[in-house]
Structure formats: structure tokens, C-alpha cells
Amino acid sequence: MTNDPILLTPGPLTTSRRTKEAMLRDWGSWDVDFNRITGRIRESLVKIIHAENTHECVPLQGSGTFAVEAAIGTLVPKNGHVLVPVNGAYCQRIAKICKTIGRRHSTLDYAESAQVRAEDIDRKLAADPSITHVALVHCETGTGILNPLEDVARVAAKHGKGLIVDAMSSFGAIDIDVRKQPIDAIIGASGKCLEGVPGMGFILIRRPVLEKCEGNSPSLAMDLYGQWIYMGKTTQWRFTPPTHVVAALDEAIRQFEEEGGQPARGARYAKNCEQLISGMQALGFQSFLPRALQAPIIVTFHAPADPAYDFKRFYDEVKQRGYILYPGKLTQVETFRVGCMGHFGPEGMNGAVAAIADTVKAMGIKRIAAAA
Ligand SMILES: *Cc1c(COP(=O)(O)O)cnc(C)c1O
């Protein structure tokens, strides 16, 4: 098919040929056929989390962070107060967004190897009634840790607070069911577990919540209320849509459904994750997280303690062997990450482990275990 390296990165990721081919046609943004595609995508996305009767899908141009910033800006009013539990880089980004757009926020800080705890959120919400929203990262891609969405949703609902979930790296692969877990807004993106190409995000917002969001947003282009109203009236995107990205996502969702939807996608990634961790362990690598907290999306490994190891060279050597790794995102320990997502078939993971084994040998790395 192609000799391009396989991306083991959490978006952009390796897409299928069908998805790539969907981008070979140009679309006019006014064209009814194009706007039918947009409509179809919006309908498919709400179904994935069983929200067809409760939530509206608002797509937005840009990378995933644009969608997170748009969601915070649109849902949280100027006098709101957001509680952000923090156990990694993407949680920290939400806190930074609040600060940048002038929304009051408080953090609950955890170690990067620890899950967010619903009990702590419960206590914090009881102690500070000025908090209006909780903003949770479902799978914290910085490490690959899974946060307890169901428990956090229960606690937020108990206190009558809005819950905004960054489900960017879990949407489509890990079960999210808004009939069981009350959530005001769920944020995802085209280029993650749905295996489209990057370029747009989408926010699924509970309808009565969205209806009350007029005038909240500090931004014109990232006002989800504005996008929703305009799309409702015209079926079109308010400003130029990323037409090729939309067409690719439509085709990617078709393949997602053919594969068997979220359960099948999740099972495939879990198998990839299993193959990866056991293969890497056999080489002597240690994963950063205990298995019980690990989401089947991306795995953080400790870098080898051997002085012959250098990430840049390691990356280049593995790339020459056909696989693209991802740098670590931890401040305290030296790590690298390997994604389990993308259209690369079961041989992809074993091939990656073989490429890493070969690289270790080529670089003369002897001590693979991390320094204690
Ligand atoms: C990918 C990702 C984002 C968005 O990152 P971008 O670089 O803006 O696409 C946000 N949150 C999480 C958890 C992610 O994995």
C-alpha cells in the first residue's frame, strides 16, 4: 500500500486508505450534498454516547484544544467557577484555558500516576458552593491514565453542578453512556479514536444547557451557541468548514460502524495495548502506570537507564524501521509514549515491538530497566 511509517501517536494517527481517498474530492461549503454529510456526522456522533434524545452535536473547526476552549467559554458564564481535577498535562491545559479566557477556576492536584478521586470532588463541591462546573479529562493522554468518569458524573449531579468532559482520546473507544452518566458536554475530535484526520472537534451538549448559553462566549469564532444556531438555520457551518476533514470523518465513521462501533474499537485497542505491554516487558521495559489504571489508548514507558539511550536517536532508529513514537510528557521522570490507536492491523503492534528490540540492539542499550 504505502511505505509511510505507522504512527503510534495519539492523533494524528494512521488512517485507512478509504479514509484518505475520501479526501480526493473538493466540496463547496454551500453545497447541499456537503451539508448532508455534516448532518450525518452530527447524528452519528450523538448515537455513539446514546445521546440522540438529549444532546446536540456542535462541530468546530480546529484541533481538539479549540473545542475544549470553545466548550469552557460557551458553557461557563462570566461569573462561573470551574473545578479542574489535575493529574496530567491535558488537565493543566484546561486550567490554563480558564485563566486565559477569564473564567475563575480551582484545581484539585494529584500525582500523574494517580487517578482523580470522586470523593475529593464531592468534598470540594460541598465546601465551596461558588463552584458551578467540573471539567474532567476522561483519558489523560499525558500518561494514558483513565479517570473515573461515572463516579465523577454521579458526584457532580448530586451537587447540581455542570460537568464538562474532555473525552478527546477516549471517545469512540471507551464506553460513555449519557443515559447512565449525566454529562453537560462531551468533547471529542476527528483525528483520534474515530480514526479520521485532524482538523475539527465536536462538542455534544445537553440541549437545555446549550439553549441557555447565548452571550457567554468571550470569542466570536469559538462560540458554540453561535455555531449551533447558525447550523440549525442553514445546515451550514458558520465560517469556512474544513471540507476534506469532514468528508474523511464521515468515511471514518462508516468504517467505525462497520467494525462494530465502540465495543469493537475498544476491543481492538485493548488487544493492541496488551500486545504492546507484554512485548515491551519481555524486552525489559517498564510501563509508568499500573495495569489497573491504564487506558487502552496510549502507554507511557520509562526510558532505559543506560547512558547509551537518547530519545532523539531512539526515535530516529525506530522511525527507520517503520514506526513513529511519541515523546514523554512527564516533568519528573524520563519517559516515552506509544499509542495503541490507529488503522494498522494486529501486526502493527508486534512489528513496533520488533522495531524497538532491533533499535535497542543497534544503539547498544544494555540496561533497559529504569533507574530506581
Ligand atoms: C489530543 C487531546 C486534546 C487536544 O489536543 P490538540 O493538540 O489540540 O488536538 C485534548 N485533550 C486530550 C485528552 C487529548 O488527548
Side-chain angles (χ1 to χ4, degrees), residues 10 63-65 68 90 93 137 139 141 166 168-169 192:
S63 87
T65 305
V68 177
Y90 290 92
R93 190 177 293 175
V137 175
C139 169
T141 321
D166 172 353
M168 211 74 65
S169 64
K192 301 252 178 171

Side-chain angles (χ1 to χ4, degrees), residues 185-258:
I186 299 103
I187 309 158
S190 54
K192 301 252 178 171
C193 304
L194 294 173
E195 300 184 356
V197 302
M200 61 171 276
F202 48 84
I203 305 91
L204 314 185
I205 309 171
R206 197 198 299 278
R207 200 172 298 116
V209 170
L210 182 56
E211 281 164 352
K212 292 197 200 93
C213 289
E214 185 174 9
N216 280 350
S217 177
S219 160
L220 170 71
M222 300 211 291
D223 179 4
L224 299 174
Y225 181 85
Q227 177 89 308
W228 177 57
I229 292 291
Y230 188 88
M231 216 167 240
K233 280 190 190 139
T234 64
T235 75
Q236 294 166 19
W237 295 56
R238 199 170 38 143
F239 306 122
T240 304
T243 47
H244 296 75
V245 176
V246 173
L249 179 60
D250 180 48
E251 184 54 44
I253 292 174
R254 194 166 297 122
Q255 293 161 78
F256 170 82
E257 288 165 354
E258 286 167 13

Side-chain angles (χ1 to χ4, degrees), residues 168-192:
M168 211 74 65
S169 64
S170 56
F171 192 95
I174 298 176
D175 182 37
I176 301 173
D177 186 341
V178 296
R179 297 169 306 184
K180 291 187 263 172
Q181 315 161 14
I183 308 173
D184 277 357
I186 299 103
I187 309 158
S190 54
K192 301 252 178 171

